[in-house]
Amino acid sequence: MKTSYLVLIIVGLFILILGGCGCSGYNGLVKQDEVVNNAWANVQSDYQRRADLIPNLVATVKGEANFEQTTLQNVIAARASATQMKVDAKDLTPEKLQQFQASQGQLSQALGRLMVVSEQYPNLRANDAFRGLQAQLEGTENRIKVSRNDFNKAVQDYNVQVRSFPMNMFSGMFGFKAKTGFQADAGSDKAPAVKF
């Protein structure tokens, strides 16, 4: 009789410990998931800041009568494409993240072309509004880089917790899966050719 009570007590303690670990682990995964969601919201906020600056930049550049219209149209079209691409933090699949990066990359390229072409217009470069917007855009690009790095760090911390033992057993049961962070664009490992 004493042996059966002892076995029941040991089993009960094991269940309590396992349940406590499961609850603690689940709460930790929820916290890490929310950190990733918050980091993603910061990334989107910084990209939105860039998208909000572009109409002012384009309006300032349009003031230069001889400016190349196709460059402006490309920037406007790339901005429209980038702002239409929305990815929910709860549904960050590698494919959707890659699509988001591609649309933002097109906008970055269009802005880069705009800045290169603007160098040919001394009146535009001397315009205080243009210089101010250019400085804000540069600062925003730096913010985007920092936000992307913070997002990648949050994803890394989350993935370590999801994949570590014994949480990997609980994460699968509770539906927590590893997430994908930002990766470098294809070809970014090669230095661009600068031609004058």
Side-chain angles (χ1 to χ4, degrees), residues 19-188:
C21 289
C23 289
S24 174
Y26 177 82
N27 291 338
L29 287 172
V30 168
K31 180 180 175 186
Q32 286 299 121
D33 189 46
E34 287 303 314
V35 169
V36 170
N37 293 342
N38 184 50
W40 178 249
N42 290 340
V43 168
Q44 288 183 314
S45 174
D46 287 337
Y47 276 118
Q48 184 62 50
R49 175 180 162 79
R50 177 173 73 171
D52 292 345
L53 285 173
I54 290 171
N56 295 332
L57 186 65
V58 169
T60 303
V61 170
K62 277 185 179 177
E64 183 66 33
N66 298 330
F67 203 84
E68 299 176 20
Q69 291 299 315
T70 56
T71 303
L72 291 176
Q73 290 167 352
N74 289 342
V75 170
I76 292 167
R79 178 190 181 270
S81 173
T83 55
Q84 288 176 355
M85 181 65 194
K86 301 288 183 199
V87 178
D88 185 17
K90 299 287 184 196
D91 192 23
L92 279 176
T93 63
E95 296 81 22
K96 288 185 180 181
L97 192 58
Q98 188 175 21
Q99 290 172 349
F100 182 82
Q101 273 188 261
S103 68
Q104 293 298 331
Q106 290 171 349
L107 181 56
S108 294
Q109 289 174 357
L111 283 172
R113 284 190 297 274
L114 176 68
M115 293 303 161
V116 167
V117 171
S118 70
E119 292 296 318
Q120 300 170 5
Y121 295 87
N123 290 344
L124 181 60
R125 285 184 309 187
N127 183 321
D128 288 338
F130 179 76
R131 286 194 320 225
L133 287 167
Q134 194 174 14
Q136 285 187 38
L137 199 55
E138 182 180 324
T140 300
E141 293 297 329
N142 289 335
R143 286 182 183 183
I144 289 170
K145 180 193 177 305
V146 169
S147 290
R148 286 173 61 155
N149 288 345
D150 290 346
F151 174 74
N152 281 347
K153 176 69 173 127
V155 167
Q156 177 189 10
D157 293 345
Y158 170 84
N159 287 344
V160 166
Q161 191 165 358
V162 164
R163 296 176 58 212
S164 296
F165 182 80
M167 284 313 305
N168 59 350
M169 295 184 305
F170 294 116
S171 61
M173 286 187 335
F174 296 130
F176 290 97
K177 297 176 183 158
K179 297 184 184 269
T180 303
F182 277 99
Q183 297 178 4
D185 294 329
S188 63

